[in-house]
Amino acid sequence: MKKYLLALVFLTASAVGFEQEAFPVIPLPNSIETKTGRFVFTNCTQLHYNITDTDVRNAVMPLIEKLRLVAGITLYQKPKCKTPSMVEIAIDKSIVNDEGYVLSVSPQKILLKAKTTAGIFYGAQTLLQLLPDAIEKGSFQKNISWSIPCVVIKDEPRFSYRGIMLDVARHYMPMAFLKKLIDLLAMQKMNRLHLHLTDSQGWRFECKKYPKLTEIGAYRKGTPLNTTYDYNSRPNDTLYGGYYTQEQLKELVRYASAHFITIVPEIEMPAHSMSALASYPELACLDSNGNAFPYPQQIQNEYCTKDETFTFLDNVLSEVMDVFPSKYIHIAGDEASKENWAHCRFDQQRMKEEGLKNVDELQSYFIKRIEKFVNSRGRSVIGWDEILQGGLAPNATVMSWTGIEGGITAAEQHHNVIMTPAEYCYFNFYQSGSPGEPVAFCCMLTLPKVYSYDPIPDVLKPDERRYVLGTQGNLWTEYVPTYQNAEYMIFPRAVALAEVGWTNTALKQYEGFRTRLIKYLKRLDDHHVNYSRHLFEIKLTTSLNEEKQVTASLAGVDKEYAIRYTLDGTGPTDRSPVYAQPVIIEKNATMTAAVLQDGIVLAQLKKDFRLHKAVGKAAVLATPPDEKYNTGGNNAWVNGCLGNDEQFSDDEWLGWNGKEFNGTIDFGNATVTSSLQTRFFHKPNSWIWAAKKVTAQVSDDGKIFRTVAEKEVPVPSNDGAVPFSMSWQPVTARYMRIIAGPVEKIPAGNPGAGNGAWLFVDEMVVN
Ligand code: ACM
C-alpha cells in the first residue's frame, strides 16, 4: 500500500505521512496528526456535553443514532463501569472558522471541539468516517470492533459555500430522494442544496396566490419515458409532472437544517419561464403578430417587463422567502434570448420610459428591480453569470457557469461569486465513453477532472479572492428522468467536488482521493446509491509500434483490479486473458476490456479497430481540429480505431466549428484505392451536423489533385454516429485528399440557427 506524504498547512507547518486507507475521510481533513493506539466505543462510553445545550446534542445526533442502531451502543446513558471511556463535546469560541473543528482521539477519550454546532456536526461526520464502514448499514451488525485510530485532526473548510444544484423542473424528483440527497451531502460536509424549482418544462413550487402555476404549469403533455430533450413525445400525451407543497418544502428545509444544509431556492426569470406563462399568459410578451408563444416549445421565452410581471414575481418570491429561510434567493437570469423583448410593444415602451439603450440593459433593469424587492425583505440574490450583461445589480452574487470569466469579472467588481463552470461542475455531462452510458448532455466531465478543479481563478488578485465563496456541482435533468439516473450522474462526482470545496489545494492528490473513495463507495452502497463506477475505468490508447502495427494499451485503476479483454466483441469473463502488455491488433477487431469483481462488471470499454490503407501513413490536416476536440491527437482519423457510437467527446472523434475537414494522406508509394468509409456525428440539439458533402481526390505528386469521387450526405433522420461510404473505380496514386464540407449555417428552426455548425469526423477508412 502506498503512503502519501501530506504537507500540513493548518496551524502547524510540519508534515506527516499517513496511510490514506487508515484515515479514509472525505473530504480530506486539512491537518491529520496520527497517534498510536485506538479508541474503542463500548457500552462503557460516556457522552459529555453541556447538558443544557440541546443544539450540541442535535449536532452529534447522527453519531449517537448510528452507534445505537448499528453498533448497539447507547452513548448517552450513564454507564455503570469502573473505567468508562469518554466522548466530550465542547463549544470553543477560540476556534476561528465557523465550520472548523478539532478532534483529539486518545485511547480513553475523544474530545471534539468547535466554534459552532456546524463544526461539531462536521467533527461528528469525521468520527463516523473513521469508524468501520459498517456504521452506515442502517441495522444492527454483530462482531465488529467499533474502534477508531488515535489522531488529532484540526480541520476547517477552504470555502464557505459547498453545494449541489438539482434541477427538479425538467424532471420532478420525489421528496424522499431530496432527503436522501441531503443525507449524502451532509456525509461529505457539503452545506448547500440549490433547487432549480421552475423552468419552462415545469413549475414545482406551490404558490398560494397563483394556483394555476401548479394546476397548469406543473404538468406538461408528454415526456419521453427514458431520456431525451424532446418533451413532447410521450405516447398519448400523458400528463407528466408534479409539484411540492409549501408544507413539504418547509419540512424539507427543517430536515436540511438538521444536517447543516441550507436549501437555496431558484425561481427562473426572465427566461426559461414557459410554465409560468402557460399558466398566466397575460405576463408573456406577444410575438410580432400579437399572439402568445406556444407552450412548451419556446423553452426560453421571457416574461414581458410590464408592471404586472413584477407584481407577480414579487408575490411569488414573497411566498418563496416565507418557505425558505436561505439568505440567498436564486433568480436565475440565464439564457434569455431577449428576442421577444425586441418585438413586444410593452417591452419597447419600458425601454423608452427607462432610457434603456438595448435589451441587455432591459435585462439589467429587470434583475435590479427584482433584487431591490428581495433586498427589501433582508435577503440577497444570486444569478447566473448572464446577470452581468447590461450591468450587475448592486448586491448580487454571481454563479459563474459559462466559464470562469463571469466569476472573475464579478470578483473584480467586488461581488461575491460561486464558481460552477460547466467544464468542471456540470454533472449532466457524460462521465465516460463506456458503452451503454445513459444519454447525457454534450461534453465529458470525468471524475479526475472534477477533482482537479480549483475554484479560485489564477488571475484574481489576493484581495479579490475572498469574493469566491465556493463551488457547486449542477445536475440539469433534461436527460435525467428518474432519481436513480440522478444518483448515477451526481455520484461519485459530488464526492470529488466536496473535497474541492473543503480541502486545501496543497493537500489534494487524486491517487489518495481515489484510495479513500474506493472505501467510501461501500458507504454509498449501504445507502443504496446508484453511483457510477467509472472510478474503475479503463483507458485505452492506441499507437503504432516500430513495425507500424496498431497497438492498444490499456490502463486501469490499480493492480488490484485486473483488466480482462477479448478481441471478438464478446464481453470478458473471469476466464478471459488478463491484460499484461500492449496488444497488437493484427486484423479488424472489436476489443472489449473489463474490470470484474465477483462477477460484477465494475468498468467496461469497447473499441472497434479497422485496419486499412491509411493507417500509420503520414497524414496532415489543412485546418487543425478545435483544441477541445482533438484529445486523441490530429492523426486520430487514420489511427485504425473508431470513435464511440453514442458520444462525440471521446479520443477518436475530431471536431471543427464551422470549418471543413480537409486531410491529406501520403501512402509513401503508389497505392490502389477504391473506397472510403467514415462516420459523422449528428446531434442538432448540440449544434452538431453531419457533413453535407464528401470529396475524395488523388495525386501523384502531392500538388495536383484530381477528384475521384464526390457524394452528398443526406440530412440524417436520427442523432448519433452516421455512417457514410463511397467507392470509385480503382485508382493508383501516392496521395489522397479527403474533404468533408460542413453545413455552413445551421438551418432555421434548429438550435443555434444561423451559426456555423460543428462537424465531427471519425476514422477515414480508406481501402
Ligand atoms: C445554465 O446552465 N443555463 C445556467
Side-chain angles (χ1 to χ4, degrees):
M1 197 184 314
K2 293 185 197 124
K3 290 203 170 161
Y4 298 99
L5 200 65
L6 294 181
L8 288 188
V9 294
F10 183 94
L11 296 181
T12 63
S14 63
V16 66
F18 69 90
E19 290 182 355
Q20 302 235 356
E21 278 202 3
F23 294 91
V25 181
I26 299 181
L28 183 67
N30 280 300
S31 156
I32 297 179
E33 205 181 320
T34 59
K35 305 275 179 190
T36 50
R38 298 185 73 82
F39 177 97
V40 185
F41 284 90
T42 67
N43 272 317
C44 285
T45 305
Q46 216 172 340
L47 182 67
H48 271 256
Y49 60 94
N50 181 346
I51 202 76
T52 59
D53 200 342
T54 48
D55 287 347
V56 166
R57 203 192 71 192
N58 288 342
V60 282
M61 198 51 88
L63 178 73
I64 295 173
E65 276 301 299
K66 285 175 186 175
L67 280 171
R68 184 184 62 78
L69 192 70
V70 183
I73 293 170
T74 312
L75 267 193
Y76 49 109
Q77 278 181 345
K78 259 207 154 45
K80 296 191 186 71
C81 305
K82 276 210 193 91
T83 52
S85 58
M86 186 198 288
V87 180
E88 185 181 344
I89 315 287
I91 294 291
D92 179 350
K93 295 288 178 200
S94 73
I95 290 174
V96 177
N97 190 294
D98 281 348
E99 296 178 296
Y101 66 93
V102 179
L103 179 65
S104 313
V105 182
S106 60
Q108 287 306 313
K109 181 173 175 181
I110 294 174
L111 174 60
L112 170 57
K113 295 188 299 184
K115 180 176 179 182
T116 69
T117 48
I120 300 287
F121 181 81
Y122 295 134
Q125 293 300 326
T126 297
L127 267 175
L128 281 166
Q129 289 198 26
L130 291 173
L131 279 163
D133 304 325
I135 195 69
E136 296 296 336
K137 281 214 178 292
S139 61
F140 179 64
Q141 304 294 309
K142 281 194 287 214
N143 303 330
I144 293 179
S145 167
W146 298 102
S147 73
I148 62 173
C150 293
V151 69
V152 177
I153 291 178
K154 294 173 180 167
D155 201 11
E156 64 177 33
R158 182 175 178 212
F159 294 106
S160 62
Y161 189 112
R162 306 176 301 278
I164 289 292
M165 186 282 291
L166 180 67
D167 167 8
V168 292
R170 270 52 176 272
H171 282 99
Y172 174 83
M173 295 286 158
M175 195 49 84
F177 171 59
L178 301 186
K179 288 189 175 171
K180 179 177 176 184
L181 187 57
I182 287 167
D183 293 342
L184 296 165
L185 299 184
M187 281 164 62
Q188 296 150 206
K189 304 188 177 78
M190 293 182 112
N191 63 4
R192 296 291 191 291
L193 174 60
H194 163 184
L195 288 181
H196 184 75
L197 285 166
T198 73
D199 211 301
S200 283
Q201 296 77 20
W203 184 283
R204 309 284 172 230
F205 174 77
E206 178 196 32
C207 189
K208 309 255 191 213
K209 203 169 172 90
Y210 302 106
K212 284 194 275 180
L213 285 172
T214 42
E215 284 164 18
I216 295 172
Y219 298 92
R220 60 179 180 256
K221 269 196 196 146
T223 212
L225 290 171
N226 294 316
T227 52
T228 151
Y229 215 49
D230 174 3
Y231 299 104
N232 298 306
S233 61
R234 196 175 180 118
N236 310 324
D237 276 0
T238 317
L239 277 184
Y240 174 86
Y243 67 92
Y244 309 111
T245 65
Q246 293 195 5
E247 276 319 302
Q248 282 177 313
L249 290 167
K250 283 181 185 163
E251 155 62 14
L252 191 72
V253 165
R254 280 192 294 273
Y255 189 82
S257 163
H259 291 76
F260 293 83
I261 288 176
T262 302
I263 299 187
V264 178
E266 180 184 358
I267 302 295
E268 267 283 4
M269 63 190 80
H272 287 278
S273 297
M274 282 309 298
S275 58
L277 299 179
S279 312
Y280 294 95
E282 61 274 24
L283 304 178
C285 310
L286 302 180
D287 71 12
S288 43
N289 300 320
N291 298 320
F293 293 87
Y295 164 73
Q297 288 87 338
Q298 292 276 334
I299 60 171
Q300 288 167 16
N301 200 3
E302 296 95 11
Y303 289 102
C304 173
T305 59
K306 55 190 172 187
D307 284 338
E308 289 87 330
T309 292
F310 292 101
T311 306
F312 166 84
L313 287 171
D314 289 354
N315 287 332
V316 168
L317 288 170
S318 282
E319 292 193 32
V320 167
M321 288 187 274
D322 288 344
V323 171
F324 296 99
S326 166
K327 173 185 164 197
Y328 288 116
I329 304 298
H330 203 308
I331 57 160
D334 59 320
E335 295 186 312
S337 72
K338 311 176 202 95
E339 264 171 41
N340 305 324
W341 287 351
H343 306 141
C344 175
R345 68 189 155 86
F346 296 108
D347 299 304
Q348 291 299 309
Q349 171 82 7
R350 173 73 71 194
M351 286 170 68
K352 212 181 287 161
E353 279 167 16
E354 299 292 334
L356 305 171
K357 289 196 286 296
N358 52 42
V359 287
D360 280 353
E361 289 192 6
L362 182 56
Q363 168 162 300
S364 175
Y365 166 86
F366 191 114
I367 300 292
K368 283 177 182 157
R369 188 162 164 175
I370 294 289
E371 178 185 64
K372 206 161 161 197
F373 175 73
V374 172
N375 287 170
S376 77
R377 298 280 307 261
R379 311 291 184 91
S380 305
V381 300
I382 302 180
W384 300 107
D385 53 50
E386 290 94 328
I387 65 168
L388 284 154
Q389 293 164 8
L392 197 48
N395 306 309
T397 294
V398 170
M399 209 168 246
S400 191
W401 75 278
T402 52
I404 60 171
E405 292 73 20
I408 294 169
T409 307
E412 285 170 349
Q413 294 177 21
H414 294 186
H415 279 254
N416 285 336
V417 169
I418 296 148
M419 296 303 289
T420 176
E423 194 184 345
Y424 292 95
C425 297
Y426 267 36
F427 293 170
N428 52 330
F429 288 3
Y430 282 97
Q431 48 200 321
S432 157
S434 294
E437 274 300 285
V439 176
F441 204 74
C442 88
C443 316
M444 184 71 79
L445 175 56
T446 62
L447 183 72
K449 181 147 184 191
V450 175
Y451 191 77
S452 73
Y453 183 50
D454 183 349
I456 303 269
D458 288 343
V459 299
L460 285 186
K461 299 195 189 79
D463 64 318
E464 292 160 350
R465 295 180 171 209
R466 66 194 163 93
Y467 293 101
V468 178
L469 302 182
T471 186
Q472 176 174 284
N474 293 338
L475 183 63
W476 301 102
T477 57
E478 286 97 333
Y479 295 102
V480 183
T482 66
Y483 79 88
Q484 291 94 336
N485 274 113
E487 289 179 4
Y488 184 84
M489 301 307 279
I490 295 173
F491 292 99
R493 289 186 288 192
V495 185
L497 198 70
E499 191 146 308
V500 169
W502 185 280
T503 305
N504 290 323
T505 320
L507 302 181
K508 274 175 63 206
Q509 195 240 32
Y510 182 71
E511 296 290 309
F513 168 71
R514 195 175 60 186
T515 304
R516 285 176 283 122
L517 179 57
I518 288 173
K519 271 181 85 64
Y520 189 75
L521 291 180
K522 294 202 188 80
R523 292 174 189 245
L524 296 185
D525 284 331
D526 288 334
H527 284 264
H528 310 286
V529 180
N530 180 36
Y531 57 85
S532 82
R533 289 176 163 74
H534 302 303
L535 171 66
F536 299 98
E537 192 132 278
I538 304 155
K539 172 100 181 138
L540 179 145
T541 40
T542 52
S543 57
L544 293 179
N545 65 12
E546 281 175 6
E547 283 82 46
K548 300 262 180 207
Q549 289 167 302
V550 176
T551 306
S553 303
L554 300 171
V557 63
D558 209 310
K559 287 211 168 40
E560 277 175 60
Y561 297 91
I563 301 171
R564 294 176 187 273
Y565 71 97
T566 67
L567 289 171
D568 61 4
T570 59
T573 67
D574 288 342
R575 289 180 303 283
S576 306
V578 172
Y579 172 82
Q581 62 192 45
V583 179
I584 294 170
I585 307 296
E586 287 167 342
K587 54 181 192 200
N588 289 348
T590 298
M591 173 180 252
T592 312
V595 176
L596 302 158
Q597 193 180 50
D598 303 328
I600 294 172
V601 178
L602 296 180
Q604 184 161 317
L605 166 148
K606 195 167 179 185
K607 281 283 175 196
D608 284 315
F609 290 90
R610 290 287 169 278
L611 302 187
H612 57 93
K613 292 184 174 167
V615 172
K617 299 294 188 286
V620 287
L621 292 167
T623 310
D626 187 278
E627 60 186 27
K628 282 209 290 290
Y629 299 109
N630 69 348
T631 51
N634 286 3
N635 274 8
W637 58 289
V638 283
N639 68 354
C641 186
L642 303 195
N644 190 299
D645 294 347
E646 292 146 19
Q647 300 169 29
F648 58 88
S649 48
D650 74 353
D651 284 353
E652 303 305 330
W653 289 95
L654 295 175
W656 286 261
N657 191 358
K659 300 191 186 107
E660 69 176 15
F661 170 89
N662 182 323
T664 304
I665 303 151
D666 177 357
F667 294 112
N669 46 39
T671 299
V672 182
T673 59
S674 62
S675 72
L676 169 70
Q677 287 176 303
T678 189
R679 299 194 302 177
F680 301 106
F681 213 86
H682 189 70
K683 196 174 181 193
N685 264 332
S686 301
W687 300 25
I688 299 169
W689 288 70
K692 247 185 123 176
K693 190 169 80 174
V694 182
T695 308
Q697 301 175 336
V698 293
S699 166
D700 301 317
D701 59 3
K703 293 190 187 108
I704 299 169
F705 282 82
R706 56 190 192 280
T707 297
V708 291
E710 193 160 71
K711 194 167 165 184
E712 300 274 335
V713 185
V715 175
S717 46
N718 292 321
D719 283 11
V722 178
F724 170 86
S725 66
M726 66 180 183
S727 53
W728 53 88
Q729 287 301 318
V731 24
T732 306
R734 174 169 165 181
Y735 298 92
M736 166 162 278
R737 176 166 296 159
I738 300 163
I739 301 164
V743 171
E744 269 138 33
K745 285 214 179 342
I746 296 176
N750 292 286
N755 291 286
W758 280 90
L759 172 69
F760 278 84
V761 171
D762 196 1
E763 184 80 3
M764 290 285 178
V765 178
V766 179
N767 276 310

